[in-house]
Amino acid sequence: MSETPAAPVKVKFFSGEDIPLELHKVRIVQKLYLRPVDERLKAMQAAGFNTFQLSTLDVFLDMLTDSGTNAMSDNQVSSMLRADDAYAGSQSFARMEAAVREVFGTQYVIPVHQGRAAENVISRAFIKQGDVIPMNYHFTTTKAHMEISGGKIFEIYTDEALKIKSSFPFKGNMDINKLKALIKEHGAARIPFIRLEASTNLIGGQPFSIANMREVRKVADQHAIMVLMDASLIGENAYFIKQREAKFKNASIKDILLTMCGLVDMIYFSSRKVSSTRGGGICTNKKDLFLKVRDLVVLFEGFVTYGGMSVREIEALAVGMYETTDETVISQSPSFIAYLVNELDKQGIPVVTPAGALGCHLDAMGFLPHVPQKEYPAGALATALFIISGIRGMERGTISSVRDDQGNDILADVELLRLAFPRRVFTLSQTKFALDRLTWLYKNRELVGGLKFVDEPTVLRFFMGRLAPTSNWPDRLVKQFKKDFGNSL
Ligand code: F0G
């Protein structure tokens, strides 16, 4: 019997209930703390109303991110014991190389310590001052690295991408006409590469289609421009292709991954996401491209057979790579997200649809229409949800943006509160708890007010910045919570 059952992995319930099913057993557990509401308020105050600053001792469901928090499999953990500690020529690296060759179909692979390290190296290797970089959408660290290297980013998404409510299956697609116009305007010589981000993170974990990738490839070939793929969330993007792109309905995830990777010149990834471990990598079939990044990896990351990663992590990465081709693994997070998104949507609670990868994305401007965007509705919603539930989400709105030259906030396209579902970490009853508390919060949304910065770093301010509420609204929220829930946590 094959270890990987044939698709589809969806299980139908006799009762007719449409709920996700955990296709694994839990063998190692970690205790969680659900603190009383007064303690949660105190923890939030101490954290400067920034969920990045909370201690996990105060957090019940940590839905901040899937980065480095996906559950590892038994095979991944056990592989770490056979790590071959060597500065150069480690067998652990040989196993990683073999895994990436098989799963992505790329000959050359080089480890780096995490996704943004790949972005640093690639930006330095290929971007010159004044260059133009088309992409379906930016990611925070991507944009920061590419701009430091002198590049200017152009996001050329389709009209559907930023609509909160949509049934468009591929909101991560690139708009081909806009891509052609951009190349015409700036000239191919100023475009070092076109970047495609799988399961586009900041617009709600939304995938692109292979049909769209093929169109991008065609335009790139006409102008001899390189195509770069951020594959940090490639497994989920492949899963959505199988679900939503008719041509690939019967294809295996393995074949879909190989098709995707075969359409680009270079791939990089954060293995904190794609293979449920730590680290990252850069891969390609083109020797000239490989050599350009190789020398920078040696300079910034470490020798080419470890690239800043521990060999134990490299072993787990290799196993995680193979597991990315297993539909029972990569379908887990999307199916729990779909459950929460669809239940919220049924109640009219504003949430990004269709459900995507990585997390459930609440539309904070729809949820809190009375909070002006300059008072950071997504940050306010993250604060309020933590206080009333102990659930830690991540602001993905204007706090995650930057200021312009005059010091004004550049308002984000969308104000989202992301509730991440790391792979195989949360159960259905925990998901139902999140649904229940969000429902209560929506009914009491008028109690939630805005936030303002009191300490604001100049780079990636959302990580370390400290904020304060614009009024004493958190106290009012706690009062109402106690009225409705009594002594309940
Ligand atoms: N690219 C994408 C699409 C990402 O989602 C991330 C990280 C990175 C690059 C950078 O990788 O963290 O390993 O340096 N995303 C995390 C998140 C941080 O929470 O979404 P890294």
Side-chain angles (χ1 to χ4, degrees), residues 107-110 121-122 124-126 226 265-266 282-299 304:
Q107 183 65 16
Y108 302 102
V109 50
I110 194 158
V121 164
I122 291 169
R124 285 173 186 263
F126 299 104
M226 160 180 155
D265 302 292
M266 182 172 264
I282 305 174
C283 24
T284 178
N285 270 319
K286 304 203 164 155
K287 194 166 184 185
D288 55 328
L289 300 183
F290 168 69
L291 293 178
K292 277 195 177 167
V293 293
R294 186 193 65 181
D295 294 345
L296 291 170
V297 169
V298 178
L299 186 62
V304 292

Side-chain angles (χ1 to χ4, degrees), residues 155-194:
E155 294 168 317
I156 41 179
Y157 43 79
T158 66
D159 295 341
E160 288 291 323
L162 300 184
K163 286 185 191 157
I164 298 292
K165 234 176 142 51
S166 165
S167 55
F168 191 62
F170 293 110
K171 285 162 96 180
N173 276 359
M174 192 169 259
D175 185 318
I176 301 300
N177 287 330
K178 287 187 205 154
L179 175 63
K180 287 181 186 164
L182 192 81
I183 298 172
K184 199 163 170 200
E185 187 187 341
H186 297 277
R190 284 182 60 194
I191 302 180
F193 52 78
I194 299 167

Side-chain angles (χ1 to χ4, degrees), residues 105-174:
T106 49
Q107 183 65 16
Y108 302 102
V109 50
I110 194 158
V112 292
H113 82 270
Q114 64 184 83
R116 72 199 67 180
E119 289 167 343
N120 173 39
V121 164
I122 291 169
S123 299
R124 285 173 186 263
F126 299 104
I127 300 174
K128 300 183 303 297
Q129 189 65 39
D131 275 354
V132 163
I133 301 138
M135 56 182 68
N136 51 349
Y137 207 74
H138 78 279
F139 184 68
T140 50
T141 55
T142 321
K143 183 173 154 118
H145 278 294
M146 294 185 178
E147 287 181 349
I148 287 173
S149 288
K152 188 164 184 299
I153 278 166
F154 287 84
E155 294 168 317
I156 41 179
Y157 43 79
T158 66
D159 295 341
E160 288 291 323
L162 300 184
K163 286 185 191 157
I164 298 292
K165 234 176 142 51
S166 165
S167 55
F168 191 62
F170 293 110
K171 285 162 96 180
N173 276 359
M174 192 169 259

Side-chain angles (χ1 to χ4, degrees), residues 64-67 113-117 119 139 141-142 195 197-198 201 230 232-233 268 270-273 279 358 394 396 418 463:
L64 185 74
T65 178
D66 61 340
S67 176
H113 82 270
Q114 64 184 83
R116 72 199 67 180
E119 289 167 343
F139 184 68
T141 55
T142 321
R195 175 178 174 274
E197 183 181 304
N201 188 331
D230 180 335
S232 304
L233 289 163
Y268 76 91
S270 166
S271 55
R272 299 175 62 81
K273 294 169 107 82
L358 209 169
M394 188 191 286
R396 298 277 71 165
R418 181 179 87 183
F463 281 136

Side-chain angles (χ1 to χ4, degrees), residues 311-330:
V311 279
R312 286 173 179 238
E313 291 166 350
I314 289 178
E315 291 282 359
L317 189 166
V319 175
M321 249 319 135
Y322 293 119
E323 290 177 354
T324 300
T325 65
D326 180 343
E327 199 173 336
T328 66
V329 174
I330 56 167

